Amino acid sequence: PPSVGLHLHVFPDAHPRARKSQVDFDKFNDKNNDDGTLHSRFPHFVHLPPPSLDVILRPGDAIEIPAFWFHHVENGQHH
C-alpha cells in the first residue's frame, strides 16, 4: 500500500527514478553485508511491514496493482 513509502526510502518526485525505492532489496538482505552501511543509509527499511500480498503467477495469469501501490517483483522457478 502507499503507506509503506517511508520504509522504502523512495526517490523524490523530481528524481528520474521517482516513486521507486532507493533500497536494493537483494543487497540489503544479503548476510555478507555486515558492514552496516545499508542499514545506516536506510534505517526505516528494517521496519517495513510484511507484504500485504504474496502472489505466484503462472503462465497466462495477470495481476492488477492499484495506482500508487508499491510492489516488488521477482522472477524465479517455483514448483
Side-chain angles (χ1 to χ4, degrees), residues 61-79:
D61 289 348
I63 187 170
E64 181 178 335
I65 301 171
F68 304 110
W69 272 57
F70 293 101
H71 57 280
H72 177 74
V73 177
E74 294 183 9
N75 182 15
Q77 296 293 325
H78 296 281
H79 301 280

Side-chain angles (χ1 to χ4, degrees), residues 1-71:
S3 61
V4 300
L6 171 70
H7 304 290
L8 292 173
H9 297 272
V10 295
F11 285 101
D13 287 338
H15 193 279
R17 293 189 51 122
R19 299 203 50 82
K20 292 177 178 59
S21 179
Q22 298 179 49
V23 182
D24 181 332
F25 288 26
D26 295 327
K27 286 184 182 175
F28 196 90
N29 292 320
D30 184 356
K31 301 300 180 202
N32 296 322
N33 175 35
D34 12 39
D35 64 0
T37 56
L38 289 176
H39 289 78
S40 62
R41 284 181 56 208
F42 307 116
H44 301 294
F45 188 73
V46 297
H47 303 295
L48 181 68
S52 298
L53 289 172
D54 195 4
V55 178
I56 297 174
L57 298 177
R58 308 251 186 254
D61 289 348
I63 187 170
E64 181 178 335
I65 301 171
F68 304 110
W69 272 57
F70 293 101
H71 57 280

